[in-house]
Amino acid sequence: MPHRYQTVLLFGAPGAGKGTQGKILGLVPGFYHLSCGEVFRTLDVNSELGRTFREYSSRGELVPDEVTVKMWAENIRAQTILSLYKPHDDLLILDGIPRNVNQAKLMEKHINVLEIIHLVCRDKKKMVERLQRRAVKENRADDAKESVILRRWDVYEEETRPVLDYYPKEIIREVDAIGSPAAVLQHVLEVVVPVQEKHFVNVLGDESST
Ligand code: ADP
């Protein structure tokens, strides 16, 4: 299916740093980053979907799959129409989707998953600290309450982690999420740069640096 977007998934528990790494990568020519949570947060809060998002996210639950994947597909299509994302030039870096096995199945027709970067953080205390810092900085209701953070963790363990078993083991790469953003980025780049070079002709070449 040649029309599927060539994709790398950023995977990991809440607070592992998917968004931080994704945002940095998205600044590099040849990469396009899309965070599903960000797309949800930009919705009009008074729209039906905006209200649905608020209802689920404030409890730490996942928004229902059908509406999530539909919204994601419409959003990425809009990015291509605006030429913000160019599927023939850019490697798509997805974070926050697919978030359960059903979403992975629904996404099958849209994306070709080349590699999965699993940001691994075994220090739960550190992750809670990261999320609570973010709650203050970004005014995020779903990070403010410890009970909601813990619920999101359970949802991750029960629904999201099994996504790793859905994809072939060979494409899953574990990256240690502990360390400075730059240190983690170094390891992330080791994985994604070869993938990008293999699948895309780098027309920018040396000219991009001038
Ligand atoms: P985090 O990575 O910290 O969990 P996100 O910004 O990815 O935060 O997601 C915030 C909330 O948005 C989630 O708790 C969930 O309610 C909703 N959400 C984001 N992505 C999805 C998705 N793929 N499916 C369902 N709900 C989602």
Side-chain angles (χ1 to χ4, degrees):
M1 282 191 279
H3 59 278
R4 292 194 302 169
Y5 306 124
Q6 305 284 41
T7 305
V8 166
L9 303 181
L10 282 174
F11 198 86
K18 304 180 295 286
T20 304
Q21 295 301 320
K23 269 187 211 137
I24 305 172
L25 274 183
L27 296 173
V28 182
F31 293 88
Y32 187 81
H33 167 240
L34 190 69
S35 148
C36 190
E38 286 291 317
V39 175
F40 274 129
R41 277 186 289 281
T42 55
L43 292 173
D44 177 354
V45 287
N46 295 314
S47 65
E48 200 185 326
L49 190 52
R51 278 199 297 272
T52 305
F53 164 64
R54 186 121 196 117
E55 180 196 328
Y56 284 90
S57 65
S58 63
R59 292 199 305 255
E61 309 274 334
L62 298 184
V63 179
D65 299 336
E66 301 283 341
V67 284
T68 298
V69 173
K70 185 167 176 281
M71 175 200 70
W72 175 86
E74 284 171 2
N75 192 284
I76 195 76
R77 208 176 121 65
Q79 310 292 326
T80 62
I81 291 167
L82 295 170
S83 286
L84 293 169
Y85 164 49
K86 301 184 188 72
H88 294 289
D89 299 340
D90 301 329
L91 177 62
L92 182 61
I93 308 287
L94 279 187
D95 104 54
I97 194 164
R99 227 170 167 109
N100 59 28
V101 171
N102 187 40
Q103 288 184 11
K105 288 180 183 159
L106 293 171
M107 301 281 286
E108 227 18 86
K109 65 172 184 284
H110 299 291
I111 58 173
N112 180 30
V113 180
L114 301 166
E115 210 90 45
I116 299 174
I117 297 178
H118 181 196
L119 291 169
V120 183
C121 177
R122 292 187 177 88
D123 188 342
K124 201 165 170 176
K125 218 174 114 223
K126 201 162 217 126
M127 307 263 267
V128 176
E129 279 167 22
R130 279 186 183 178
L131 291 173
Q132 285 174 331
R133 265 204 309 273
R134 180 170 77 181
V136 178
K137 238 171 79 185
E138 297 180 13
N139 191 21
R140 275 185 59 165
D142 58 342
D143 284 340
K145 276 203 222 137
E146 193 161 336
S147 61
V148 177
I149 293 180
L150 295 176
R151 177 70 196 126
R152 274 159 68 206
W153 237 314
D154 292 343
V155 169
Y156 174 77
E157 290 297 336
E158 287 160 22
E159 296 194 47
T160 308
R161 194 186 274 279
V163 170
L164 287 174
D165 299 325
Y166 176 80
Y167 292 103
K169 268 197 183 55
E170 309 79 71
I171 64 166
I172 300 171
R173 305 284 294 270
E174 290 205 347
V175 168
D176 189 353
I178 299 290
S180 67
V184 178
L185 177 66
Q186 192 170 12
H187 297 302
V188 169
L189 286 172
E190 279 164 18
V191 177
V192 295
V193 172
V195 177
Q196 202 270 348
E197 287 182 344
K198 186 173 166 201
H199 289 86
F200 295 89
V201 181
N202 285 294
V203 283
L204 293 169
D206 291 337
E207 286 164 39
S208 62
S209 59
T210 56

